Amino acid sequence: MKKQALLQDYNLNGLKLPNRVVMAPMTRSRADNPDNVPTEELHGEYYKQRASAGLIISEGSQVSKEAVGYVNTPGIYSEKQTEGWKKVTKMVHEANGRIFIQLWHVGRMSHPDFHNGEKPVAPSAINPEAKSFTPDGFKDTVTPKEMTIEDIKRTVQDFANAAKNAMEADFDGVEIHSSNGYLFHQFFNGTSNHRTDEYGGSIENRARFLFEVLDAVKEIMPEKKIGLRLNPSLDGIFGMKMDEETIPTFDYIVNKLNDYDLAYLHLSEPFNDVSDVPYAVKEIAKHYRPIYNGTLMINTAFDQEKGNKVIENDDADLVAYGKPYISNPDLVERFEKDIPLSDWDEETFYVPGKKGYLDYEAKARKEKV
């Protein structure tokens, strides 16, 4: 009997994946210590439990203190954080898993509470009119500080340094989080980027920062170890608003990514109903599959059936699962044995400690039953 599409192996530009089920990056806010260091007891065990995934992409990890925008998220800019992650990757690799780290800068999706009262940085001084999850709960975002050229160049170097630390921590690769209304996305979008210098105005200029980061990171590590995440039809969430240049901007970016030998391109289907948004693409995988020549990963609201179908239809090579991986550490085995999925508890998504993090049962693993 032929294996279902999700359970077939895959060669990810030299990294052999035993299946095509990817654990998507998800903020879990468990680095509740003064240095935002990931720990063996929490992060290590959490990712180890899910090591049967074809690939794990870690939660977003800030590339600098300036990059943070959520409470208790781990970083990848300090020696302590790098050493913490090294213990996590060791546990995953000992469990025969593979793990990339997501490199993150939230830009304006932050709050002065994270920056000693200073404003967060962004391409332009435009308030996203959203919420930031601070140590004191959700607070309204503020008008950010427009980045100077010096700020931009420093941030490019922050990503390069984070990539260097990721290699030191023995990750199998990195994913650049250029999605979901965060810093890169803020540069792409004409409603959040009103710059008149070389980083604003034309589509090429608004994409410049991304490619400067990509070029800096590929000096640190092989291109085949670099993934990239985009969310082309994000609208009305995280302060993002689509306009007539939004999809042409992403088309330009994806075409230009063909000049690189990346591990993968990670795309999200629309997070919400965009049927009334005239500029939106409703089916992201179908739209970008003919444009992008490399490995395509797709994400957002896939179940087992839809995941198999998108691969069978050759609209994607890999499928990333988010919330199902929170409550089903044995997601691959459940797909294999057709065992129903356990429900997740949203009340414990972002709270400290083991509850709702390490205590979901792996029912499909015989030794755990």
Side-chain angles (χ1 to χ4, degrees):
M1 185 176 175
K2 187 181 178 184
K3 271 188 180 180
Q4 56 182 291
L6 282 169
L7 301 182
Q8 294 171 5
D9 59 14
Y10 188 77
N11 186 338
L12 187 67
N13 214 344
L15 181 64
K16 293 181 179 178
L17 310 185
N19 57 72
R20 300 176 186 229
V21 180
V22 177
M23 179 178 171
M26 289 177 287
T27 298
R28 301 303 311 276
S29 296
R30 256 59 179 199
D32 55 323
N33 54 71
D35 298 302
N36 295 131
V37 174
T39 66
E40 291 172 273
E41 298 78 18
L42 289 173
H43 301 78
E45 186 62 29
Y46 172 71
Y47 289 117
K48 177 186 173 182
Q49 287 179 357
R50 291 150 179 83
S52 60
L55 177 67
I56 293 169
I57 308 170
S58 85
E59 61 216 280
S61 299
Q62 55 264 17
V63 299
S64 67
K65 287 184 178 179
E66 193 176 61
V68 70
Y70 291 78
V71 67
N72 296 334
T73 53
I76 184 63
Y77 57 85
S78 74
E79 186 176 345
K80 284 183 179 179
Q81 292 162 352
T82 303
E83 287 302 309
W85 278 121
K86 190 181 292 187
K87 295 171 184 175
V88 174
T89 61
K90 184 173 186 286
M91 292 175 71
V92 171
H93 290 147
E94 286 177 348
N96 298 315
R98 297 135 300 277
I99 184 168
F100 276 38
I101 185 171
Q102 190 185 63
L103 305 182
W104 196 25
H105 193 309
V106 305
R108 66 184 188 170
M109 289 298 298
S110 186
H111 193 275
D113 286 3
F114 290 113
H115 309 291
N116 297 315
E118 297 293 321
K119 293 180 178 180
V121 298
S124 298
I126 301 170
N127 190 334
E129 305 293 345
K131 298 282 185 183
S132 176
F133 186 32
T134 78
D136 297 318
F138 283 101
K139 291 188 178 182
D140 292 336
T141 53
V142 301
T143 300
K145 170 186 176 288
E146 180 172 309
M147 297 174 80
T148 63
I149 297 295
E150 183 182 352
D151 290 335
I152 293 172
K153 300 300 183 187
R154 185 186 68 252
T155 304
V156 170
Q157 190 56 48
D158 287 340
F159 274 91
N161 290 338
K164 183 173 181 291
N165 289 340
M167 292 298 92
E168 174 67 24
D170 202 25
F171 279 97
D172 297 297
V174 304
E175 177 177 286
I176 299 172
H177 193 1
S178 33
S179 184
N180 295 5
Y182 299 125
L183 186 62
F184 291 99
H185 205 159
Q186 293 158 28
F187 271 94
F188 302 156
N189 196 296
T191 64
S192 52
N193 181 351
H194 290 181
R195 301 179 72 95
T196 56
D197 59 11
E198 64 264 42
Y199 294 97
S202 69
I203 286 174
E204 292 82 359
N205 282 357
R206 284 186 274 116
R208 186 183 307 277
F209 172 57
L210 171 66
F211 289 102
E212 286 185 352
V213 168
L214 197 48
D215 289 342
V217 171
K218 75 174 190 174
E219 293 298 314
I220 302 296
M221 59 195 297
E223 290 179 27
K224 68 179 184 177
K225 290 178 175 284
I226 304 170
L228 193 76
R229 189 175 189 189
L230 298 171
N231 192 340
S233 282
L234 186 71
D235 183 79
I237 305 175
F238 299 122
M240 284 291 105
K241 187 70 179 170
M242 297 186 73
D243 61 22
E244 63 272 13
E245 283 200 328
T246 299
I247 293 301
T249 299
F250 284 101
D251 289 354
Y252 167 80
I253 291 168
V254 173
N255 267 301
K256 192 172 172 65
L257 289 175
N258 284 323
D259 296 337
Y260 297 80
D261 186 27
L262 299 181
Y264 60 80
L265 174 61
H266 182 180
L267 297 175
S268 297
E269 295 289 353
F271 280 3
N272 54 346
D273 183 5
V274 293
S275 55
D276 292 333
V277 181
Y279 313 118
V281 167
K282 280 75 174 176
E283 295 184 291
I284 293 296
K286 285 186 180 296
H287 178 84
Y288 285 103
R289 183 59 154 183
I291 298 175
Y292 186 60
N293 298 331
T295 293
L296 192 65
M297 182 189 302
I298 193 66
N299 175 271
T300 308
F302 281 87
D303 57 16
Q304 182 177 359
E305 183 182 356
K306 289 179 181 176
N308 279 312
K309 189 174 180 182
V310 76
I311 295 172
E312 289 165 0
N313 291 345
D314 196 31
D315 290 327
D317 303 295
L318 304 169
V319 182
Y321 290 86
K323 290 176 183 175
Y325 252 120
I326 290 178
S327 51
N328 300 276
D330 54 344
L331 187 65
V332 169
E333 293 91 335
R334 293 197 189 215
F335 284 171
E336 189 175 17
K337 299 175 181 178
D338 285 318
I339 294 175
L341 302 190
S342 297
D343 294 330
W344 53 80
D345 176 12
E346 293 197 15
E347 296 295 317
T348 59
F349 278 5
Y350 311 113
V351 299
K354 297 180 179 181
K355 184 173 173 56
Y357 192 64
L358 301 182
D359 54 358
Y360 287 105
E361 187 181 357
K363 293 180 180 178
R365 295 177 188 153
K366 290 180 181 178
E367 69 275 16
K368 299 271 183 162
V369 173

